[in-house]
């Protein structure tokens, strides 16, 4: 007999030394949690995201030491109508006194009164850089709250880059807590439906949750190389719970199946390790390979997501191959205790693949018709993707439930000079004169205004002019204003030889970032498809299987993108999902969803195709092998898909629109993949191809006793 595979040897060691395996897993989780507590997680800095012309502008400003000091603005309004100037002046004096007493405050400007008489603002300049402002902004917010408490007749609110960021992070934290509270009980309930027993249902949930905690801990030191762009915790919970439960489910279901056939506990664990364990390794590697495609995007936020996801998938795979066999060996038949009577009887009555067997029958009888009908359905869902619009998120896509976002919106409505700002940087002998001409032309056209105070700042041969668009702060208007500057106004005013220029600022950075994502998407797609194609060829020794898997993955992704366009570019689902349609999909969502979906869809395909291959090796006809493989894997795949869809759907209920789009996209894609693709398209294609599906590999039938030995060998 040839040497046992690594998955089998690891499983056998864990099964025969259960307390050691369980102890080592607990030690791993404790060490990871300790790392999270001892090592502060690093966040991305502003210059990490500099890109394109806006990045060039930011670099020129920094080199000339012309960077603006971080600032906050306090807005005063009267909820009953026009602002009482006397009451507002008294409140402004109180604000000035409190803000001046804060060490982090560098200067407090003069109050600015709105022309319409409904608002006043107080500009505050902070010491240090943006990171220092983030550390100290809570002191300013507390001072503003104290003045608000003393002036109940006024509405006194604060907004600025640091305070808005703090508000967003608070929303993200609240969303994460909500997702945890909802996903855990939902997942446990689905596992109860799948197993009908409390212990069997609890094991996948417990392992998945421990994998999430361990992954967040291990990411903490890695964040020094790949700083968190703000979504790591959400992504780790989202993917960790999905794959962690799936991998445990695959393994546990197969071990249970082998025990029901009369095998001993250790033998059942070995066969589960050789079959489902192997599929878990391949599936995990597929997700890791797909997530590595995010590195191709050359974006620090994506790099942090990729790193964290790779860690949580690796930990989930490790747990399913080590501590899970140990738990199963220690529990033995007790894993099916205590039973939930109604659910247990329901599971036994339906049997493995009972429902799928009925749905599969007409597909196997009429494979051509089934393939055509399912393909038409997928194409119909995918067609709206042709009109998908992708734009970067901004003020208009942030939840108005965040107080600081609401304040910033009101600030821009009352003070046009606080709107979308663009920094025009010029370097050369005629830089200042050129910018003066630009200011005159831009203001004369009434499309831009300048902020109060010194309009042009200069240091050496570099000068900066800040222009504010009078257009609303929306993605389409931001692009319109930026194009006007870059393609018309700035070239005309700064045409003298020897002068270099760039248009930057926060709004320009957002537009450039969205364009960068669109430009990188083809490279990400090519990288992921090429590597996963090669991986499937290596796993199944079949070019045909690899090509079929790639086509079906693309079908799921296309349908997902089509549904995203239908839901988020229109208004019909606003009340259902509690959001305001921006008219586009956030620019980073398609790239992220593509790599995730290709990886996750491999879960089902590897597992199902593995069972079909077993049928072929048993000597069954291609049709019977498909019938056997689909029906025997139906229960576990359906349960796994239900968990994924439920966990992803939870994210559609969160406040941030990015999380809604991510949740809807993933849930729809997995649902399509587990129903149309797995039960209709895949089996119909496999039946139509027959033995050609395994080309160039020729699978020979194997005697049962030999096959049982080969299950636990390389």
């Amino acid at each position: 007999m040839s040497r046992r595979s690594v998955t089998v040897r690891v499983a056998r060691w864990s099964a025969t030394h259960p307390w050691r395996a369980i102890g080592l897993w607990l030690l791993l989780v404790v060490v990871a949690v300790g790392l999270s507590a001892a090592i502060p997680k690093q966040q991305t800095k502003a210059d990490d995201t500099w890109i394109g012309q806006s990045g060039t502008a930011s670099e020129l400003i920094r080199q000339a030491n012309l960077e603006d000091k971080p600032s906050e603005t306090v807005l005063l309004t009267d909820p009953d109508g026009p602002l009482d100037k006397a009451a507002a002046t008294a409140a402004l004096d109180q604000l000035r006194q409190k803000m001046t007493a804060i060490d982090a405050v560098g200067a407090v400007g003069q109050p600015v009164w709105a022309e319409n008489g409904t608002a006043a603002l107080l500009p505050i300049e902070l010491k240090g850089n943006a990171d220092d402002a983030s550390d100290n902004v809570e002191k300013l917010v507390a001072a503003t709250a104290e003045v608000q408490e003393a002036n109940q007749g006024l509405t006194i609110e604060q907004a600025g880059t640091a305070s808005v960021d703090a508000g967003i992070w608070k929303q993200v934290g609240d969303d994460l807590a909500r997702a945890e509270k909802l996903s855990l009980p939902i997942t446990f309930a689905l596992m109860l439906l799948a197993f009908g027993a409390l212990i069997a249902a609890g094991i996948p949930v417990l392992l998945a949750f421990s994998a999430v905690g361990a992954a967040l801990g291990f990411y903490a030191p890695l964040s020094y190389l790949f700083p968190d762009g703000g979504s790591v915790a959400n992504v780790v919970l989202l993917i960790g719970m999905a794959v962690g439960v799936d991998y445990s489910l695959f393994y546990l279901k197969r071990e249970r199946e082998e025990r029901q056939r009369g095998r001993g506990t250790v033998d059942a664990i070995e066969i589960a390790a050789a079959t489902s364990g192997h599929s878990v390794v391949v599936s995990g590697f597929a997700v890791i390979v797909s997530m590595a495609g995010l590195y191709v995007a050359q974006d620090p936020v994506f790099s942090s997501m990729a790193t964290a996801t790779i860690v949580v998938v690796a930990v989930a795979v490790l747990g399913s191959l080590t501590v899970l066999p140990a738990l199963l060996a220690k529990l033995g038949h007790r894993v099916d205790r205590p039973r939930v009577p109604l659910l247990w009887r329901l599971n036994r009555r339906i049997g493995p693949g009972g429902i799928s067997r009925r749905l599969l029958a007409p597909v196997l009888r009429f494979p051509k018709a089934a393939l055509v009908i399912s393909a038409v359905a997928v194409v119909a869902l995918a067609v709206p993707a042709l009109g998908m619009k992708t734009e970067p998120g901004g003020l208009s896509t942030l939840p108005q439930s965040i107080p600081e976002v609401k304040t910033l919106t009101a600030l821009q409505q009352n003070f046009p000079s606080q709107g979308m700002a663009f920094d025009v940087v010029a370097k050369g002998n005629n830089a200042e004169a050129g910018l003066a001409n630009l200011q005159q032309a831009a203001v004369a056209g009434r499309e831009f205004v300048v902020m109060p105070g010194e309009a042009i700042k200069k240091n050496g041969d570099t000068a900066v002019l800040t222009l504010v668009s009078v257009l609303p702060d929306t993605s389409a208007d931001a692009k319109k204003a930026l194009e006007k500057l870059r393609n018309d106004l700035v070239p005309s005013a700064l045409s003298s030889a020897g002068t270099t220029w760039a248009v930057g600022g926060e709004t320009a950075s957002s537009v450039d970032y969205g364009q960068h994502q669109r430009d990188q998407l083809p490279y990400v797609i090519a990288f992921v498809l090429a590597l996963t194609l090669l991986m499937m060829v290596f796993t199944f020794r079949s070019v045909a299987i690899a090509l079929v898997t790639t086509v079906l993955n693309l079908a799921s992704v296309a349908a997902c993108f089509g549904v995203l366009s239908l839901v988020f570019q229109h208004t019909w689902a606003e009340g259902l999902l509690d959001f305001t349609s921006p008219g586009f999909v956030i620019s980073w969502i398609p790239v992220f969803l593509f790599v995730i979906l290709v990886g996750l869809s491999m879960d089902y395909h590897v597992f199902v195709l593995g069972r079909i291959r077993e049928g072929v090796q048993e000597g069954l006809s291609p049709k019977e092998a498909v019938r056997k493989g689909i029906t025997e894997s139906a229960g576990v795949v359906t349960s796994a898909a239900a968990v994924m869809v439920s966990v992803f759907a939870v994210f559609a209920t969160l406040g941030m629109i990015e999380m809604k789009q991510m949740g809807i996209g993933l849930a729809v894609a997995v649902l399509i993949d587990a129903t149309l693709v797995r039960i209709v398209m895949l089996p119909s294609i496999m039946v139509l191809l027959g033995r050609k599906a395994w080309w160039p590999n020729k699978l020979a039938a194997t005697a049962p006793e030999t096959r049982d030995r080969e299950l636990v060998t390389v």
Side-chain angles (χ1 to χ4, degrees):
M1 185 188 298
S2 59
R3 181 171 57 86
R4 286 187 175 91
S5 69
V6 174
T7 58
V8 174
R9 282 183 288 149
V10 170
R12 184 171 184 82
W13 183 90
S14 298
T16 53
H17 304 85
W19 287 120
R20 293 185 188 179
I22 294 171
L24 288 173
W25 177 257
L26 291 176
L27 179 63
L28 177 79
V29 174
V30 169
V31 168
V33 173
L35 286 174
S36 180
I39 301 175
K41 186 172 64 176
Q42 299 301 300
Q43 309 291 337
T44 53
K45 295 180 172 57
D47 55 1
D48 292 332
T49 58
W50 288 354
I51 202 164
Q53 190 179 133
S54 58
T56 301
S58 297
E59 183 61 34
L60 288 171
I61 291 172
R62 182 165 66 177
Q63 290 175 357
N65 197 27
L66 288 172
E67 294 174 293
D68 288 329
K69 289 289 186 181
S71 63
E72 291 286 312
T73 302
V74 180
L75 176 68
L76 284 76
T77 56
D78 190 327
D80 297 326
L83 192 63
D84 184 329
K85 195 162 187 177
T89 300
L92 287 167
D93 290 340
Q94 295 172 33
L95 279 168
R96 176 181 294 278
Q97 183 179 6
K98 286 186 176 293
M99 294 297 179
T100 305
I102 299 175
D103 292 337
V105 173
V108 179
Q110 294 298 318
V112 179
W113 301 87
E115 293 182 1
N116 57 17
T118 60
L121 66 80
L122 185 68
I124 303 164
E125 184 179 282
L126 282 73
K127 297 176 182 177
N129 54 29
D131 295 328
D132 298 324
S134 298
D135 295 336
N136 296 309
V137 71
E138 289 184 3
K139 300 175 184 177
L140 280 74
V141 172
T144 301
E146 290 176 7
V147 177
Q148 170 67 87
E149 185 68 24
N151 296 268
Q152 296 291 327
L154 299 173
T155 300
I156 304 175
E157 302 164 311
Q158 181 179 321
T161 301
S163 57
V164 170
D165 285 347
I168 293 173
W169 277 105
K170 183 179 183 302
Q171 179 70 52
V172 169
D174 292 342
D175 282 354
L176 184 61
R178 175 183 171 85
E180 288 175 348
K181 289 178 181 178
L182 290 175
S183 62
L184 286 177
I186 290 174
T187 302
F188 183 69
L190 290 171
M191 289 298 95
L192 272 180
L193 288 173
F195 290 105
L198 291 174
I199 294 177
I203 287 176
V205 179
L206 180 63
L207 290 182
F209 193 67
S210 63
V212 169
L216 289 173
F218 287 129
Y219 174 73
L222 291 174
S223 68
Y224 284 81
L225 297 175
F226 305 99
D228 182 7
S231 302
V232 160
N234 282 336
V235 170
V236 167
L237 178 64
L238 183 79
I239 304 303
M241 288 301 297
V243 301
V245 169
D246 273 12
Y247 296 161
S248 299
L249 191 59
F250 290 167
Y251 204 109
L252 185 53
K253 280 276 192 179
R254 186 58 185 259
E255 187 270 348
R256 200 187 199 199
E257 180 183 318
E258 296 300 328
R259 276 195 295 105
Q260 290 173 352
R261 291 175 177 173
R263 301 187 189 277
T265 299
V266 175
D267 289 339
I269 289 172
E270 285 195 354
I271 293 176
T275 53
S276 295
H278 176 71
S279 296
V280 165
V281 172
V282 174
S283 299
F285 189 67
V287 178
I288 289 172
V289 166
S290 297
M291 291 306 301
L294 289 180
Y295 293 120
V296 178
Q298 300 178 31
D299 176 79
V301 177
F302 279 169
S303 295
S304 67
M305 289 181 179
T307 303
T309 304
I310 288 171
V311 171
V312 76
V313 171
V315 173
V317 170
L318 181 64
S320 67
L321 298 182
T322 56
V323 70
L324 182 56
L327 289 171
L328 294 178
K330 198 66 185 172
L331 291 168
H333 291 280
R334 293 189 300 274
V335 75
D336 290 328
R337 302 288 192 277
R339 296 171 181 174
V340 180
L342 179 63
L343 295 178
W344 179 263
R345 286 197 298 270
L346 183 64
N347 269 278
R348 304 288 287 184
R349 182 173 299 175
I350 294 176
I355 297 175
S356 292
R357 190 181 295 110
R358 297 177 180 86
L359 296 175
L360 187 63
V363 174
L364 298 182
R365 193 177 301 120
F366 309 105
K368 290 183 180 179
L371 181 59
V372 170
I373 293 172
S374 58
V376 169
V378 170
V379 169
L381 288 173
V383 165
L386 297 175
M388 178 185 281
K389 300 175 183 178
T390 60
E391 300 291 348
L395 184 64
S396 60
T397 62
L398 289 171
Q400 290 297 309
S401 58
I402 300 176
E404 293 81 2
V405 171
K406 188 176 181 181
T407 301
L408 193 57
T409 302
L411 187 64
Q412 294 183 0
Q413 291 172 348
N414 285 283
F415 298 91
S417 63
Q418 301 292 318
M420 294 186 297
F422 298 90
D423 294 328
V424 184
V425 190
K427 185 175 183 179
N429 295 330
N430 299 315
E432 187 174 12
L435 290 180
N437 294 334
L438 172 63
Q439 178 184 343
Q440 184 178 1
V443 173
R446 297 189 177 183
E447 295 177 277
F448 297 89
V449 297
V450 295
M451 301 179 71
E454 186 181 7
I456 299 176
K457 297 182 294 182
K458 183 182 179 184
N459 189 7
D461 62 350
T462 303
V464 181
L465 168 65
T466 299
L467 293 171
V468 180
S469 173
V470 298
L471 296 172
D473 188 358
T474 65
S475 180
D477 290 328
K479 290 181 68 175
K480 181 179 178 181
L482 184 61
E483 289 172 359
K484 180 72 173 180
L485 283 172
R486 286 179 173 173
N487 301 332
D488 183 9
L489 295 176
V490 178
S492 299
L494 299 172
S495 58
S496 60
T499 300
T500 59
W501 58 268
V503 179
E506 189 173 340
T507 303
S509 297
S510 181
V511 174
D512 288 346
Y513 179 79
Q515 186 60 48
H516 175 73
Q517 298 305 324
R518 287 188 287 272
D519 292 342
Q520 294 299 111
L521 181 58
Y523 299 104
V524 174
I525 292 174
F527 176 88
V528 172
L529 290 183
L531 283 189
T532 52
L533 185 72
L534 290 174
M535 194 192 72
M536 291 299 289
V537 170
F538 177 80
T539 300
F540 290 98
R541 305 293 194 273
S542 169
V543 174
I545 288 292
L547 291 174
V548 167
T549 301
T550 301
V551 170
L552 293 180
N553 287 345
L554 288 175
S556 297
V557 172
C560 161
F561 286 178
V563 172
L564 276 181
S565 301
L566 283 174
V567 172
F568 291 100
Q569 290 182 194
H570 304 280
T571 59
W572 63 270
E574 288 182 334
L576 182 65
L577 296 175
D578 189 24
F579 75 100
T580 300
S581 173
F584 56 84
V585 176
I586 305 297
S587 58
W588 65 268
I589 292 291
V591 182
F592 179 76
L593 287 183
F594 174 79
V595 298
I596 286 289
L597 291 176
V598 170
L600 292 183
S601 63
M602 299 286 274
D603 271 358
Y604 306 138
H605 288 290
V606 170
F607 188 73
V608 173
L609 288 171
R611 298 305 290 262
I612 294 174
R613 181 170 60 178
E614 287 181 33
V616 174
Q617 290 176 320
E618 289 174 4
L620 299 177
S621 68
K623 180 181 290 188
E624 287 305 312
V626 170
R627 187 193 310 276
K628 182 176 185 294
I630 297 291
T631 53
E632 287 187 352
S633 62
V636 62
V637 171
T638 301
S639 299
V643 169
M644 281 196 180
V645 171
S646 300
V647 171
F648 296 154
V650 166
F651 278 72
T653 68
L654 304 184
M656 301 293 288
I657 196 169
E658 290 95 334
M659 295 299 108
K660 288 182 182 292
Q661 293 183 353
M662 188 192 305
I664 289 292
L666 290 172
V668 167
V670 171
L671 184 62
I672 292 171
D673 195 70
T675 52
L676 270 179
V677 172
R678 176 180 64 85
I679 298 179
V680 182
M681 299 184 78
L682 176 62
S684 60
I685 291 173
M686 294 295 290
V687 169
L688 291 172
L689 289 176
R691 286 194 171 271
K692 294 178 182 178
W694 306 99
W695 181 86
N697 187 20
K698 294 181 179 179
L699 295 178
T702 309
E705 63 274 8
T706 304
R707 184 172 59 254
D708 288 344
R709 287 199 306 270
E710 289 182 348
L711 281 174
V712 292
T713 60
V714 175

